[in-house]
Amino acid sequence: MTRVFDDDLAQGFATRAIHAGQRPEPLAGAIMTPVYLTSTYVQDELGVNKGYEYARGKNPTRQALERNVAALEGGKHGFAFSSGMGCVDSLMKLFRAGDHIVCGENVYGGTYRLFDKILQHMGLSFTFVDTRDPQRIADACTPATRAILVETPTNPLMRITDLRAAAEIAHRHDALLIVDNTFASPFFQRPFEFGADIVYHSTTKYLNGHSDMIGGMAVLNDDALADRIQFIQNAAGAVQGPFDCWLALRGTKTLHLRMPRHDENGRAVAKFLVEQVGEEQVIYAGLESHPQHELAKKQMKGFGGMIALELGTKERANHLLSRVRVFALAESLGGVESLISHPASMTHASVEPDRRSALGITEGMVRLSCGVEDVADLLSDLEQALEGMPEHGAARARRETAGAA
Ligand SMILES: Cc1ncc(COP(=O)(O)O)c(C=O)c1O
């Protein structure tokens, strides 16, 4: 009897999430892929082995995760790395001194730091642009441009890049479109459908979903490019350990159950915050007031749980951050639990203050990662934490006046 372990038989997202890339373990038929805790593999004789020689090159647990996430993204090849940053760093090894990369100006602070503080000193050059405007991407391309790297939605400003337009520009310049799909996850956005060449993730976030490991994943379709990344993965060695792969593989099995709840809670929290502090203060791609809501609707199937909230000053931000009881003050995002953070001093502290404020990452901004708890508890937590904040009172007064009129 054929079971759905054959990836091509599993067409639906949920079935792929649960089965793709996995086979029953051959010794006892264990349904769950074991954690292959081994650094090396016994060879049958010189030059004859079971396809595995040394675990930096291949590990069956890692391969299961790589095939699983590749299937979820609709790609052919997956490569798991030690972290999201390890993944980006390895991808940059596709390029050589003298090559130029056009990068979104509001990428994760650590991505900017890697490019600005390390890789540009090794001969790669980067131009950071507002990728909301395709013309700016096109204008930044030079004959040396080899890649356009975008994050959409961005961290933390929730800016959207038109993926189809970015892919056209990249291909016109013989360059690759590389997309950080961490915020949307493949459940809500599949950049290959719009022409992306490489899609990558911090699997630390939604893919794993339980805030208990660090990992990165690159997915692509082109066989020749995949050979080069496999070479880099083995040669540079930023591979993901088998136990972290196993955790992530366990996480992806429920991605299709978690993401709708993150989305539902995100929408409810965004609506609630609009009522509390006003529409202009809440940045969420699912709000009609988001300037790129129509584009977001076109390329995303949902908006997830990430919200940025502009409270005006650090004191006001701290008022909220120090009073929440269900939301936890912590970096990271995408876990089942709700988190709240202060991008200027946390995730984007590595971006220079002038650059940060030019981008709009202010001292008064907080970022929420809405988890999958009961939404009523999230709303009452925020309500009690906002209590006593001057703007909160003013917003309520405005509402009461409007209600009375
Ligand atoms: C959008 C995005 N990309 C990449 C990364 C880096 O991933 P990691 O922390 O797994 O190295 C992060 C981390 O926060 C992120 O938010």
Side-chain angles (χ1 to χ4, degrees), residues 269-303:
V269 168
K271 181 168 172 278
F272 173 81
L273 290 172
V274 165
E275 288 160 12
Q276 298 295 306
V277 299
E279 195 169 78
E280 323 77 64
Q281 267 42 61
V282 185
I283 315 174
Y284 179 64
L287 287 173
E288 278 175 24
S289 56
H290 188 289
Q292 295 176 288
H293 178 63
E294 288 308 312
L295 173 61
K297 272 202 307 195
K298 251 204 270 171
Q299 60 188 32
M300 299 171 73
K301 296 187 174 71
F303 310 103

PDB file of all heavy atoms in Angstrom, residues 269-303:
ATOM      1  N   VAL A 269      -6.613  42.318  17.702  1.00  0.00           N
ATOM      2  CA  VAL A 269      -5.782  43.225  18.502  1.00  0.00           C
ATOM      3  C   VAL A 269      -5.583  44.541  17.754  1.00  0.00           C
ATOM      4  O   VAL A 269      -5.663  45.629  18.340  1.00  0.00           O
ATOM      5  CB  VAL A 269      -4.430  42.547  18.860  1.00  0.00           C
ATOM      6  CG1 VAL A 269      -3.442  43.557  19.429  1.00  0.00           C
ATOM      7  CG2 VAL A 269      -4.661  41.411  19.860  1.00  0.00           C
ATOM      8  N   ALA A 270      -5.354  44.469  16.433  1.00  0.00           N
ATOM      9  CA  ALA A 270      -5.153  45.698  15.645  1.00  0.00           C
ATOM     10  C   ALA A 270      -6.407  46.571  15.714  1.00  0.00           C
ATOM     11  O   ALA A 270      -6.320  47.789  15.926  1.00  0.00           O
ATOM     12  CB  ALA A 270      -4.822  45.341  14.200  1.00  0.00           C
ATOM     13  N   LYS A 271      -7.574  45.948  15.586  1.00  0.00           N
ATOM     14  CA  LYS A 271      -8.847  46.697  15.622  1.00  0.00           C
ATOM     15  C   LYS A 271      -9.017  47.361  16.997  1.00  0.00           C
ATOM     16  O   LYS A 271      -9.369  48.537  17.102  1.00  0.00           O
ATOM     17  CB  LYS A 271      -9.987  45.709  15.338  1.00  0.00           C
ATOM     18  CG  LYS A 271     -11.371  46.309  15.309  1.00  0.00           C
ATOM     19  CD  LYS A 271     -12.353  45.268  14.734  1.00  0.00           C
ATOM     20  CE  LYS A 271     -13.783  45.752  14.872  1.00  0.00           C
ATOM     21  NZ  LYS A 271     -14.348  45.513  16.203  1.00  0.00           N
ATOM     22  N   PHE A 272      -8.713  46.593  18.018  1.00  0.00           N
ATOM     23  CA  PHE A 272      -8.831  47.103  19.382  1.00  0.00           C
ATOM     24  C   PHE A 272      -7.881  48.295  19.598  1.00  0.00           C
ATOM     25  O   PHE A 272      -8.259  49.316  20.178  1.00  0.00           O
ATOM     26  CB  PHE A 272      -8.502  45.960  20.354  1.00  0.00           C
ATOM     27  CG  PHE A 272      -8.411  46.376  21.788  1.00  0.00           C
ATOM     28  CD1 PHE A 272      -9.562  46.536  22.550  1.00  0.00           C
ATOM     29  CD2 PHE A 272      -7.179  46.612  22.388  1.00  0.00           C
ATOM     30  CE1 PHE A 272      -9.479  46.915  23.884  1.00  0.00           C
ATOM     31  CE2 PHE A 272      -7.087  46.999  23.708  1.00  0.00           C
ATOM     32  CZ  PHE A 272      -8.243  47.145  24.465  1.00  0.00           C
ATOM     33  N   LEU A 273      -6.645  48.150  19.107  1.00  0.00           N
ATOM     34  CA  LEU A 273      -5.674  49.236  19.300  1.00  0.00           C
ATOM     35  C   LEU A 273      -6.092  50.489  18.539  1.00  0.00           C
ATOM     36  O   LEU A 273      -5.881  51.614  19.016  1.00  0.00           O
ATOM     37  CB  LEU A 273      -4.276  48.767  18.866  1.00  0.00           C
ATOM     38  CG  LEU A 273      -3.631  47.723  19.790  1.00  0.00           C
ATOM     39  CD1 LEU A 273      -2.352  47.177  19.171  1.00  0.00           C
ATOM     40  CD2 LEU A 273      -3.346  48.302  21.177  1.00  0.00           C
ATOM     41  N   VAL A 274      -6.685  50.306  17.370  1.00  0.00           N
ATOM     42  CA  VAL A 274      -7.179  51.468  16.614  1.00  0.00           C
ATOM     43  C   VAL A 274      -8.208  52.211  17.470  1.00  0.00           C
ATOM     44  O   VAL A 274      -8.184  53.439  17.583  1.00  0.00           O
ATOM     45  CB  VAL A 274      -7.789  51.024  15.262  1.00  0.00           C
ATOM     46  CG1 VAL A 274      -8.620  52.130  14.637  1.00  0.00           C
ATOM     47  CG2 VAL A 274      -6.686  50.567  14.300  1.00  0.00           C
ATOM     48  N   GLU A 275      -9.089  51.473  18.103  1.00  0.00           N
ATOM     49  CA  GLU A 275     -10.112  52.102  18.957  1.00  0.00           C
ATOM     50  C   GLU A 275      -9.466  52.815  20.142  1.00  0.00           C
ATOM     51  O   GLU A 275      -9.926  53.857  20.593  1.00  0.00           O
ATOM     52  CB  GLU A 275     -11.083  51.046  19.489  1.00  0.00           C
ATOM     53  CG  GLU A 275     -12.020  50.497  18.433  1.00  0.00           C
ATOM     54  CD  GLU A 275     -12.622  49.146  18.837  1.00  0.00           C
ATOM     55  OE1 GLU A 275     -12.497  48.733  20.019  1.00  0.00           O
ATOM     56  OE2 GLU A 275     -13.201  48.502  17.940  1.00  0.00           O
ATOM     57  N   GLN A 276      -8.392  52.248  20.644  1.00  0.00           N
ATOM     58  CA  GLN A 276      -7.757  52.801  21.851  1.00  0.00           C
ATOM     59  C   GLN A 276      -6.883  54.011  21.548  1.00  0.00           C
ATOM     60  O   GLN A 276      -6.886  54.984  22.283  1.00  0.00           O
ATOM     61  CB  GLN A 276      -6.880  51.729  22.526  1.00  0.00           C
ATOM     62  CG  GLN A 276      -7.633  50.510  22.992  1.00  0.00           C
ATOM     63  CD  GLN A 276      -8.624  50.807  24.111  1.00  0.00           C
ATOM     64  OE1 GLN A 276      -8.273  51.375  25.130  1.00  0.00           O
ATOM     65  NE2 GLN A 276      -9.866  50.449  23.900  1.00  0.00           N
ATOM     66  N   VAL A 277      -6.062  53.916  20.491  1.00  0.00           N
ATOM     67  CA  VAL A 277      -5.054  54.976  20.287  1.00  0.00           C
ATOM     68  C   VAL A 277      -5.189  55.700  18.952  1.00  0.00           C
ATOM     69  O   VAL A 277      -4.443  56.649  18.692  1.00  0.00           O
ATOM     70  CB  VAL A 277      -3.613  54.419  20.437  1.00  0.00           C
ATOM     71  CG1 VAL A 277      -3.368  53.849  21.818  1.00  0.00           C
ATOM     72  CG2 VAL A 277      -3.300  53.379  19.377  1.00  0.00           C
ATOM     73  N   GLY A 278      -6.091  55.254  18.097  1.00  0.00           N
ATOM     74  CA  GLY A 278      -6.281  55.941  16.815  1.00  0.00           C
ATOM     75  C   GLY A 278      -5.625  55.190  15.662  1.00  0.00           C
ATOM     76  O   GLY A 278      -4.601  54.531  15.834  1.00  0.00           O
ATOM     77  N   GLU A 279      -6.258  55.378  14.481  1.00  0.00           N
ATOM     78  CA  GLU A 279      -5.873  54.616  13.293  1.00  0.00           C
ATOM     79  C   GLU A 279      -4.425  54.851  12.851  1.00  0.00           C
ATOM     80  O   GLU A 279      -3.718  53.928  12.456  1.00  0.00           O
ATOM     81  CB  GLU A 279      -6.820  55.042  12.173  1.00  0.00           C
ATOM     82  CG  GLU A 279      -6.859  54.166  10.984  1.00  0.00           C
ATOM     83  CD  GLU A 279      -8.042  54.584  10.100  1.00  0.00           C
ATOM     84  OE1 GLU A 279      -7.918  55.598   9.374  1.00  0.00           O
ATOM     85  OE2 GLU A 279      -9.067  53.880  10.140  1.00  0.00           O
ATOM     86  N   GLU A 280      -3.997  56.136  12.944  1.00  0.00           N
ATOM     87  CA  GLU A 280      -2.658  56.471  12.428  1.00  0.00           C
ATOM     88  C   GLU A 280      -1.564  55.798  13.248  1.00  0.00           C
ATOM     89  O   GLU A 280      -0.426  55.668  12.796  1.00  0.00           O
ATOM     90  CB  GLU A 280      -2.382  57.990  12.442  1.00  0.00           C
ATOM     91  CG  GLU A 280      -3.549  58.910  12.121  1.00  0.00           C
ATOM     92  CD  GLU A 280      -4.507  59.056  13.308  1.00  0.00           C
ATOM     93  OE1 GLU A 280      -4.078  59.598  14.348  1.00  0.00           O
ATOM     94  OE2 GLU A 280      -5.677  58.629  13.200  1.00  0.00           O
ATOM     95  N   GLN A 281      -1.890  55.399  14.459  1.00  0.00           N
ATOM     96  CA  GLN A 281      -0.874  54.871  15.379  1.00  0.00           C
ATOM     97  C   GLN A 281      -0.624  53.372  15.196  1.00  0.00           C
ATOM     98  O   GLN A 281       0.342  52.847  15.715  1.00  0.00           O
ATOM     99  CB  GLN A 281      -1.344  55.094  16.826  1.00  0.00           C
ATOM    100  CG  GLN A 281      -0.879  56.361  17.519  1.00  0.00           C
ATOM    101  CD  GLN A 281      -0.919  57.597  16.684  1.00  0.00           C
ATOM    102  OE1 GLN A 281      -1.978  58.012  16.215  1.00  0.00           O
ATOM    103  NE2 GLN A 281       0.226  58.183  16.486  1.00  0.00           N
ATOM    104  N   VAL A 282      -1.509  52.702  14.478  1.00  0.00           N
ATOM    105  CA  VAL A 282      -1.433  51.237  14.415  1.00  0.00           C
ATOM    106  C   VAL A 282      -1.028  50.807  13.004  1.00  0.00           C
ATOM    107  O   VAL A 282      -1.684  51.167  12.026  1.00  0.00           O
ATOM    108  CB  VAL A 282      -2.806  50.605  14.777  1.00  0.00           C
ATOM    109  CG1 VAL A 282      -2.699  49.081  14.824  1.00  0.00           C
ATOM    110  CG2 VAL A 282      -3.313  51.142  16.104  1.00  0.00           C
ATOM    111  N   ILE A 283       0.072  50.064  12.911  1.00  0.00           N
ATOM    112  CA  ILE A 283       0.554  49.622  11.593  1.00  0.00           C
ATOM    113  C   ILE A 283       0.360  48.116  11.501  1.00  0.00           C
ATOM    114  O   ILE A 283       1.042  47.331  12.174  1.00  0.00           O
ATOM    115  CB  ILE A 283       2.046  49.979  11.376  1.00  0.00           C
ATOM    116  CG1 ILE A 283       2.337  51.416  11.809  1.00  0.00           C
ATOM    117  CG2 ILE A 283       2.426  49.766   9.918  1.00  0.00           C
ATOM    118  CD1 ILE A 283       3.811  51.779  11.754  1.00  0.00           C
ATOM    119  N   TYR A 284      -0.590  47.707  10.681  1.00  0.00           N
ATOM    120  CA  TYR A 284      -0.906  46.280  10.504  1.00  0.00           C
ATOM    121  C   TYR A 284      -1.398  46.115   9.065  1.00  0.00           C
ATOM    122  O   TYR A 284      -2.315  46.832   8.630  1.00  0.00           O
ATOM    123  CB  TYR A 284      -2.002  45.873  11.505  1.00  0.00           C
ATOM    124  CG  TYR A 284      -2.426  44.420  11.413  1.00  0.00           C
ATOM    125  CD1 TYR A 284      -1.532  43.393  11.690  1.00  0.00           C
ATOM    126  CD2 TYR A 284      -3.727  44.076  11.047  1.00  0.00           C
ATOM    127  CE1 TYR A 284      -1.923  42.054  11.615  1.00  0.00           C
ATOM    128  CE2 TYR A 284      -4.132  42.747  10.968  1.00  0.00           C
ATOM    129  CZ  TYR A 284      -3.217  41.742  11.254  1.00  0.00           C
ATOM    130  OH  TYR A 284      -3.601  40.415  11.179  1.00  0.00           O
ATOM    131  N   ALA A 285      -0.779  45.193   8.342  1.00  0.00           N
ATOM    132  CA  ALA A 285      -1.095  45.071   6.912  1.00  0.00           C
ATOM    133  C   ALA A 285      -2.553  44.709   6.666  1.00  0.00           C
ATOM    134  O   ALA A 285      -3.092  44.956   5.590  1.00  0.00           O
ATOM    135  CB  ALA A 285      -0.170  44.034   6.271  1.00  0.00           C
ATOM    136  N   GLY A 286      -3.218  44.159   7.674  1.00  0.00           N
ATOM    137  CA  GLY A 286      -4.615  43.767   7.520  1.00  0.00           C
ATOM    138  C   GLY A 286      -5.606  44.905   7.731  1.00  0.00           C
ATOM    139  O   GLY A 286      -6.805  44.718   7.522  1.00  0.00           O
ATOM    140  N   LEU A 287      -5.124  46.080   8.123  1.00  0.00           N
ATOM    141  CA  LEU A 287      -6.036  47.215   8.316  1.00  0.00           C
ATOM    142  C   LEU A 287      -6.224  47.946   6.985  1.00  0.00           C
ATOM    143  O   LEU A 287      -5.244  48.170   6.260  1.00  0.00           O
ATOM    144  CB  LEU A 287      -5.453  48.208   9.328  1.00  0.00           C
ATOM    145  CG  LEU A 287      -5.449  47.803  10.798  1.00  0.00           C
ATOM    146  CD1 LEU A 287      -4.681  48.852  11.620  1.00  0.00           C
ATOM    147  CD2 LEU A 287      -6.879  47.652  11.333  1.00  0.00           C
ATOM    148  N   GLU A 288      -7.455  48.363   6.719  1.00  0.00           N
ATOM    149  CA  GLU A 288      -7.680  49.105   5.473  1.00  0.00           C
ATOM    150  C   GLU A 288      -6.885  50.399   5.464  1.00  0.00           C
ATOM    151  O   GLU A 288      -6.553  50.938   4.410  1.00  0.00           O
ATOM    152  CB  GLU A 288      -9.165  49.371   5.276  1.00  0.00           C
ATOM    153  CG  GLU A 288      -9.833  48.151   4.677  1.00  0.00           C
ATOM    154  CD  GLU A 288     -11.337  48.266   4.555  1.00  0.00           C
ATOM    155  OE1 GLU A 288     -11.836  49.408   4.499  1.00  0.00           O
ATOM    156  OE2 GLU A 288     -11.978  47.194   4.514  1.00  0.00           O
ATOM    157  N   SER A 289      -6.565  50.905   6.650  1.00  0.00           N
ATOM    158  CA  SER A 289      -5.804  52.156   6.723  1.00  0.00           C
ATOM    159  C   SER A 289      -4.326  51.958   6.376  1.00  0.00           C
ATOM    160  O   SER A 289      -3.598  52.924   6.188  1.00  0.00           O
ATOM    161  CB  SER A 289      -5.917  52.742   8.139  1.00  0.00           C
ATOM    162  OG  SER A 289      -5.483  51.774   9.089  1.00  0.00           O
ATOM    163  N   HIS A 290      -3.872  50.704   6.299  1.00  0.00           N
ATOM    164  CA  HIS A 290      -2.475  50.470   5.911  1.00  0.00           C
ATOM    165  C   HIS A 290      -2.319  50.905   4.452  1.00  0.00           C
ATOM    166  O   HIS A 290      -3.081  50.457   3.584  1.00  0.00           O
ATOM    167  CB  HIS A 290      -2.118  48.991   6.060  1.00  0.00           C
ATOM    168  CG  HIS A 290      -0.659  48.695   5.857  1.00  0.00           C
ATOM    169  ND1 HIS A 290      -0.053  48.770   4.626  1.00  0.00           N
ATOM    170  CD2 HIS A 290       0.313  48.351   6.725  1.00  0.00           C
ATOM    171  CE1 HIS A 290       1.237  48.474   4.744  1.00  0.00           C
ATOM    172  NE2 HIS A 290       1.477  48.215   6.022  1.00  0.00           N
ATOM    173  N   PRO A 291      -1.348  51.796   4.169  1.00  0.00           N
ATOM    174  CA  PRO A 291      -1.255  52.347   2.812  1.00  0.00           C
ATOM    175  C   PRO A 291      -1.063  51.297   1.716  1.00  0.00           C
ATOM    176  O   PRO A 291      -1.341  51.565   0.559  1.00  0.00           O
ATOM    177  CB  PRO A 291      -0.053  53.294   2.877  1.00  0.00           C
ATOM    178  CG  PRO A 291       0.512  53.193   4.250  1.00  0.00           C
ATOM    179  CD  PRO A 291      -0.352  52.330   5.099  1.00  0.00           C
ATOM    180  N   GLN A 292      -0.596  50.116   2.086  1.00  0.00           N
ATOM    181  CA  GLN A 292      -0.390  49.079   1.058  1.00  0.00           C
ATOM    182  C   GLN A 292      -1.314  47.873   1.278  1.00  0.00           C
ATOM    183  O   GLN A 292      -0.983  46.757   0.872  1.00  0.00           O
ATOM    184  CB  GLN A 292       1.062  48.634   1.066  1.00  0.00           C
ATOM    185  CG  GLN A 292       2.030  49.733   0.669  1.00  0.00           C
ATOM    186  CD  GLN A 292       3.442  49.212   0.798  1.00  0.00           C
ATOM    187  OE1 GLN A 292       3.929  49.039   1.904  1.00  0.00           O
ATOM    188  NE2 GLN A 292       4.067  48.928  -0.319  1.00  0.00           N
ATOM    189  N   HIS A 293      -2.454  48.131   1.895  1.00  0.00           N
ATOM    190  CA  HIS A 293      -3.376  47.037   2.204  1.00  0.00           C
ATOM    191  C   HIS A 293      -3.794  46.266   0.940  1.00  0.00           C
ATOM    192  O   HIS A 293      -3.861  45.041   0.944  1.00  0.00           O
ATOM    193  CB  HIS A 293      -4.599  47.610   2.924  1.00  0.00           C
ATOM    194  CG  HIS A 293      -5.635  46.589   3.262  1.00  0.00           C
ATOM    195  ND1 HIS A 293      -5.388  45.542   4.117  1.00  0.00           N
ATOM    196  CD2 HIS A 293      -6.925  46.435   2.837  1.00  0.00           C
ATOM    197  CE1 HIS A 293      -6.472  44.788   4.218  1.00  0.00           C
ATOM    198  NE2 HIS A 293      -7.407  45.308   3.447  1.00  0.00           N
ATOM    199  N   GLU A 294      -4.042  47.002  -0.155  1.00  0.00           N
ATOM    200  CA  GLU A 294      -4.499  46.327  -1.388  1.00  0.00           C
ATOM    201  C   GLU A 294      -3.425  45.406  -1.937  1.00  0.00           C
ATOM    202  O   GLU A 294      -3.700  44.280  -2.338  1.00  0.00           O
ATOM    203  CB  GLU A 294      -4.905  47.366  -2.458  1.00  0.00           C
ATOM    204  CG  GLU A 294      -6.211  48.088  -2.143  1.00  0.00           C
ATOM    205  CD  GLU A 294      -7.367  47.115  -1.819  1.00  0.00           C
ATOM    206  OE1 GLU A 294      -7.565  46.149  -2.583  1.00  0.00           O
ATOM    207  OE2 GLU A 294      -8.062  47.323  -0.794  1.00  0.00           O
ATOM    208  N   LEU A 295      -2.161  45.878  -1.928  1.00  0.00           N
ATOM    209  CA  LEU A 295      -1.052  45.036  -2.400  1.00  0.00           C
ATOM    210  C   LEU A 295      -0.889  43.830  -1.473  1.00  0.00           C
ATOM    211  O   LEU A 295      -0.699  42.702  -1.937  1.00  0.00           O
ATOM    212  CB  LEU A 295       0.249  45.868  -2.459  1.00  0.00           C
ATOM    213  CG  LEU A 295       1.520  45.089  -2.780  1.00  0.00           C
ATOM    214  CD1 LEU A 295       1.435  44.417  -4.149  1.00  0.00           C
ATOM    215  CD2 LEU A 295       2.743  46.021  -2.721  1.00  0.00           C
ATOM    216  N   ALA A 296      -0.986  44.078  -0.164  1.00  0.00           N
ATOM    217  CA  ALA A 296      -0.865  42.967   0.802  1.00  0.00           C
ATOM    218  C   ALA A 296      -1.928  41.914   0.511  1.00  0.00           C
ATOM    219  O   ALA A 296      -1.642  40.718   0.502  1.00  0.00           O
ATOM    220  CB  ALA A 296      -0.992  43.494   2.226  1.00  0.00           C
ATOM    221  N   LYS A 297      -3.159  42.372   0.210  1.00  0.00           N
ATOM    222  CA  LYS A 297      -4.246  41.420  -0.065  1.00  0.00           C
ATOM    223  C   LYS A 297      -3.958  40.604  -1.322  1.00  0.00           C
ATOM    224  O   LYS A 297      -4.331  39.450  -1.430  1.00  0.00           O
ATOM    225  CB  LYS A 297      -5.569  42.182  -0.259  1.00  0.00           C
ATOM    226  CG  LYS A 297      -6.294  42.416   1.051  1.00  0.00           C
ATOM    227  CD  LYS A 297      -7.774  42.671   0.879  1.00  0.00           C
ATOM    228  CE  LYS A 297      -8.107  43.780  -0.093  1.00  0.00           C
ATOM    229  NZ  LYS A 297      -9.461  44.269  -0.035  1.00  0.00           N
ATOM    230  N   LYS A 298      -3.276  41.240  -2.279  1.00  0.00           N
ATOM    231  CA  LYS A 298      -2.982  40.556  -3.548  1.00  0.00           C
ATOM    232  C   LYS A 298      -1.954  39.439  -3.382  1.00  0.00           C
ATOM    233  O   LYS A 298      -2.064  38.392  -3.983  1.00  0.00           O
ATOM    234  CB  LYS A 298      -2.434  41.579  -4.563  1.00  0.00           C
ATOM    235  CG  LYS A 298      -3.413  41.895  -5.681  1.00  0.00           C
ATOM    236  CD  LYS A 298      -2.708  42.391  -6.912  1.00  0.00           C
ATOM    237  CE  LYS A 298      -2.578  43.896  -6.872  1.00  0.00           C
ATOM    238  NZ  LYS A 298      -1.727  44.443  -7.903  1.00  0.00           N
ATOM    239  N   GLN A 299      -0.928  39.690  -2.554  1.00  0.00           N
ATOM    240  CA  GLN A 299       0.125  38.671  -2.505  1.00  0.00           C
ATOM    241  C   GLN A 299       0.169  37.873  -1.208  1.00  0.00           C
ATOM    242  O   GLN A 299       0.976  36.964  -1.072  1.00  0.00           O
ATOM    243  CB  GLN A 299       1.492  39.277  -2.861  1.00  0.00           C
ATOM    244  CG  GLN A 299       1.977  40.375  -1.967  1.00  0.00           C
ATOM    245  CD  GLN A 299       3.248  41.040  -2.506  1.00  0.00           C
ATOM    246  OE1 GLN A 299       3.456  41.136  -3.705  1.00  0.00           O
ATOM    247  NE2 GLN A 299       4.100  41.485  -1.607  1.00  0.00           N
ATOM    248  N   MET A 300      -0.719  38.210  -0.270  1.00  0.00           N
ATOM    249  CA  MET A 300      -0.772  37.447   0.982  1.00  0.00           C
ATOM    250  C   MET A 300      -2.192  36.908   1.181  1.00  0.00           C
ATOM    251  O   MET A 300      -3.160  37.586   0.844  1.00  0.00           O
ATOM    252  CB  MET A 300      -0.411  38.346   2.177  1.00  0.00           C
ATOM    253  CG  MET A 300       0.984  38.916   2.099  1.00  0.00           C
ATOM    254  SD  MET A 300       1.274  40.166   3.375  1.00  0.00           S
ATOM    255  CE  MET A 300       1.390  39.170   4.848  1.00  0.00           C
ATOM    256  N   LYS A 301      -2.271  35.723   1.777  1.00  0.00           N
ATOM    257  CA  LYS A 301      -3.606  35.139   2.011  1.00  0.00           C
ATOM    258  C   LYS A 301      -4.117  35.468   3.412  1.00  0.00           C
ATOM    259  O   LYS A 301      -5.230  35.107   3.778  1.00  0.00           O
ATOM    260  CB  LYS A 301      -3.546  33.634   1.806  1.00  0.00           C
ATOM    261  CG  LYS A 301      -3.202  33.272   0.367  1.00  0.00           C
ATOM    262  CD  LYS A 301      -3.303  31.782   0.122  1.00  0.00           C
ATOM    263  CE  LYS A 301      -3.094  31.434  -1.342  1.00  0.00           C
ATOM    264  NZ  LYS A 301      -1.700  31.606  -1.796  1.00  0.00           N
ATOM    265  N   GLY A 302      -3.283  36.102   4.202  1.00  0.00           N
ATOM    266  CA  GLY A 302      -3.653  36.514   5.552  1.00  0.00           C
ATOM    267  C   GLY A 302      -2.549  37.432   6.046  1.00  0.00           C
ATOM    268  O   GLY A 302      -1.528  37.587   5.366  1.00  0.00           O
ATOM    269  N   PHE A 303      -2.717  38.028   7.219  1.00  0.00           N
ATOM    270  CA  PHE A 303      -1.773  39.063   7.639  1.00  0.00           C
ATOM    271  C   PHE A 303      -0.992  38.706   8.895  1.00  0.00           C
ATOM    272  O   PHE A 303      -0.059  39.383   9.284  1.00  0.00           O
ATOM    273  CB  PHE A 303      -2.515  40.395   7.811  1.00  0.00           C
ATOM    274  CG  PHE A 303      -3.351  40.725   6.605  1.00  0.00           C
ATOM    275  CD1 PHE A 303      -4.725  40.550   6.619  1.00  0.00           C
ATOM    276  CD2 PHE A 303      -2.745  41.148   5.434  1.00  0.00           C
ATOM    277  CE1 PHE A 303      -5.491  40.804   5.496  1.00  0.00           C
ATOM    278  CE2 PHE A 303      -3.493  41.404   4.298  1.00  0.00           C
ATOM    279  CZ  PHE A 303      -4.883  41.228   4.324  1.00  0.00           C
TER     280      PHE A 303
END
